[in-house]
């Protein structure tokens, strides 16, 4: 990253209040889609107050432009929002589900469908897609097996590389590129008895040989973000799993992007039984390496008290904010926050994408 970009991030950090820093770590949902257990409310006041740094389930050129305008014109520091959405197998043009695409054994088609989905998502104002899902699964009872690459880690790794290339291209700041999110780290597809959210009781060997390789491949291809899984591994919830997040992901694999929690996952550390309140949940997640809190409100409620009590340090909070700001910088949002809000695509491209969808399906 250019020195000027680093200077910009450090200048912003020095100017931010604690509430504004935690705002950059807070991802909230708009009300255009329901994808989790916590229903969203009106986010307008939170955006204007700098308490929300990212928004998902919010798309459309005019809508995104107006919401982004609030962030860059009506907030104190004018930091742009990041817009995200679940783009699992296409955005407006629907391609075969990931499990079906896995049967193609065609890196070119995998990349091509991701590229077209990214272009459509960018035209709708989106900066980040919660894809690819890389959960190796060998129990067909698991309902989410359809969203991933199936049972083979080698095949899953090739899919990971192709999808990241297709979404992000060689230049993440390009107007038609979007950030990929490798999910769900780790062993989510190993849920006991195929029951979603259930524990994953897997050996270190299985982690190394089966569940980790697709994520390592996604990181090697440049994936900008990673999402921890809902499940626990050997009794430790992934959202609080410092060994596998900060140790393996950030340390051993050298991931320097942003880690985004799944929907309400930080507050779900309470029913997991490892946290007693929002303060304890926020401390566990931040120290494990989770940068962005999706929809749980735990960071907003817990981090100020945790800092006051000495349970976390200002440096730990600042490091997470840096990674979020660095992601926005890589996406080109500081240079042009409206770069992905484009005109409605013409009929030619829509027809070509339908042709591609039919080819992949055939």
């Amino acid at each position: 990253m250019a020195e000027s970009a680093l200077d910009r991030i450090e200048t912003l950090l020095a100017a931010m209040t604690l509430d504004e820093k935690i705002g950059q770590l807070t991802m909230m949902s708009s009300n255009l889609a329901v994808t989790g257990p916590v229903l969203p409310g009106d986010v307008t006041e939170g955006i204007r107050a700098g308490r929300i740094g990212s928004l998902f389930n919010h798309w459309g050129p005019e809508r995104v432009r107006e919401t982004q305008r609030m962030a860059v014109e009506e907030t104190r520091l004018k930091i742009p929002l990041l817009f995200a959405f679940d783009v699992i197998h296409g955005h407006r043009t629907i391609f075969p589900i990931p499990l079906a695409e896995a049967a193609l054994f065609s890196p070119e088609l995998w990349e091509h469908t991701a590229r077209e989905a990214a272009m459509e998502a960018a035209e709708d104002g989106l900066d980040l897609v919660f894809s690819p899902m890389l959960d190796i699964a060998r129990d067909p009872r698991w309902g989410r097996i359809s969203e991933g690459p199936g049972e083979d880690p080698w095949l899953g790794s090739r899919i990971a590389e192709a999808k990241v290339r297709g979404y992000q291209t060689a230049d993440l700041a390009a107007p038609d590129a979007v950030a990929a999110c490798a999910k769900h780290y780790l062993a989510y597809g190993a849920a006991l008895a195929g029951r979603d959210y259930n524990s994953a009781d897997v050996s270190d060997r299985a982690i190394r040989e089966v569940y980790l390789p697709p994520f390592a491949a996604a990181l090697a291809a440049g994936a900008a973000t990673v999402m921890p899984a809902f499940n626990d591994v050997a009794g430790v919830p992934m959202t609080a799993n410092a060994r596998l997040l900060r140790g393996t992901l950030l340390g051993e694999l050298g991931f320097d992007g942003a880690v985004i929690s799944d929907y309400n996952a930080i507050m779900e550390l309470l029913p997991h039984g490892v946290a007693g309140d929002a303060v304890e949940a926020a401390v566990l997640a931040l120290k494990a390496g989770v940068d962005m809190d999706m929809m749980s409100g735990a960071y907003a409620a817990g981090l100020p008290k945790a800092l006051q009590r000495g349970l976390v340090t200002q440096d730990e909070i600042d490091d997470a904010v840096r990674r979020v700001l660095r992601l926005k910088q890589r996406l080109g949002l500081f240079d042009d926050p409206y770069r992905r809000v484009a005109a409605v695509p013409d009929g030619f491209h829509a027809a070509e994408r339908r042709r591609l969808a039919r080819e992949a399906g055939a």
Side-chain angles (χ1 to χ4, degrees):
M1 187 180 297
E3 187 64 33
S4 59
L6 292 172
D7 289 344
R8 173 186 278 167
I9 289 172
E10 294 305 317
T11 299
L12 277 173
L13 261 175
M16 295 167 82
T17 66
L18 178 61
D19 283 346
E20 288 168 333
K21 289 176 180 178
I22 295 173
Q24 289 303 305
L25 307 183
T26 299
M27 174 179 276
M28 297 297 289
S29 175
S30 182
N31 56 10
L32 297 183
V34 177
T35 56
V38 180
L39 294 178
D42 184 15
V43 296
T44 304
E45 181 184 345
I47 291 171
R48 287 185 170 131
R51 296 195 302 268
I52 296 173
S54 304
L55 197 62
F56 69 109
N57 292 339
H58 193 82
W59 67 88
E62 293 182 7
R63 188 180 292 112
V64 167
R65 180 176 288 277
E66 174 54 26
T67 307
Q68 189 70 284
R69 186 199 62 76
M70 280 194 293
V72 298
E73 294 184 15
E74 299 183 24
T75 63
R76 188 177 77 89
L77 295 177
K78 308 186 186 312
I79 300 174
L81 292 166
L82 181 151
F83 295 92
F85 193 51
D86 277 304
V87 177
I88 306 300
H89 56 109
H91 181 55
R92 294 195 177 276
T93 302
I94 301 302
F95 299 106
I97 62 171
L99 189 61
E101 266 209 346
L104 291 171
F105 291 90
S106 172
E108 295 78 13
L109 264 177
W110 295 331
E111 182 174 347
H112 196 176
T113 58
R115 179 84 293 271
E116 297 300 325
M119 292 169 69
E120 285 190 339
E123 288 162 353
D124 250 351
L126 298 169
D127 307 295
L128 182 149
V129 296
F130 297 125
S131 178
M133 179 168 149
L134 302 173
D135 301 304
I136 299 301
R138 295 174 170 178
D139 188 337
R141 295 174 296 181
W142 186 50
R144 297 194 71 175
I145 197 170
S146 61
E147 297 176 59
E151 66 181 359
D152 185 76
W154 184 88
L155 183 65
S157 298
R158 305 294 77 76
I159 292 172
E161 296 162 348
K163 291 299 181 183
V164 170
R165 288 195 304 266
Y167 289 136
Q168 296 191 171
T169 74
D171 178 14
L172 194 53
D176 63 352
V178 294
C181 182
K183 67 180 192 183
H184 305 82
Y185 181 90
L186 191 65
Y188 187 37
L192 288 174
R195 293 175 177 174
D196 200 28
Y197 280 43
N198 210 350
S199 299
D201 192 7
V202 293
S203 67
D204 285 345
R205 178 182 176 183
I207 286 173
R208 292 284 169 177
E209 295 186 1
V210 179
Y211 299 104
L212 187 61
F215 289 93
L219 267 55
T225 69
V226 170
M227 179 180 290
F230 282 120
N231 59 281
D232 66 74
V233 172
V236 182
M238 279 307 311
T239 305
N241 201 315
R243 179 176 73 92
L244 290 175
L245 284 174
R246 198 168 288 280
T248 303
L249 182 72
L250 304 184
E252 181 183 336
L253 297 180
F255 179 61
D256 63 354
V259 177
I260 306 172
S261 86
D262 211 333
Y263 203 113
N264 196 43
I266 298 180
M267 282 302 287
E268 287 183 8
L269 293 176
L270 276 66
H272 266 291
V274 299
D277 56 20
V279 176
E280 291 182 359
V283 170
L284 285 170
L286 187 73
K287 285 187 173 294
V290 178
D291 302 311
M292 299 171 72
D293 174 6
M294 181 195 286
M295 275 301 288
S296 87
Y299 278 2
L303 285 182
K305 294 176 183 177
L307 183 64
Q308 187 178 33
R309 297 175 192 173
L311 301 175
V312 297
T313 66
Q314 188 65 65
D315 285 345
E316 287 173 323
I317 294 173
D318 287 355
D319 283 344
V321 178
R322 271 190 198 92
R323 285 190 283 273
V324 174
L325 295 178
R326 193 181 302 137
L327 174 61
K328 292 183 177 184
Q329 177 70 39
R330 289 185 62 201
L331 285 162
L333 293 172
F334 287 113
D335 297 323
D336 178 8
Y338 307 106
R339 66 195 306 113
R340 289 178 181 82
V341 183
V344 177
D346 59 39
F348 172 78
H349 283 104
E352 281 295 294
R353 285 172 184 144
R354 285 195 296 271
R355 183 202 60 75
L356 177 64
R358 285 195 296 268
E359 178 188 346

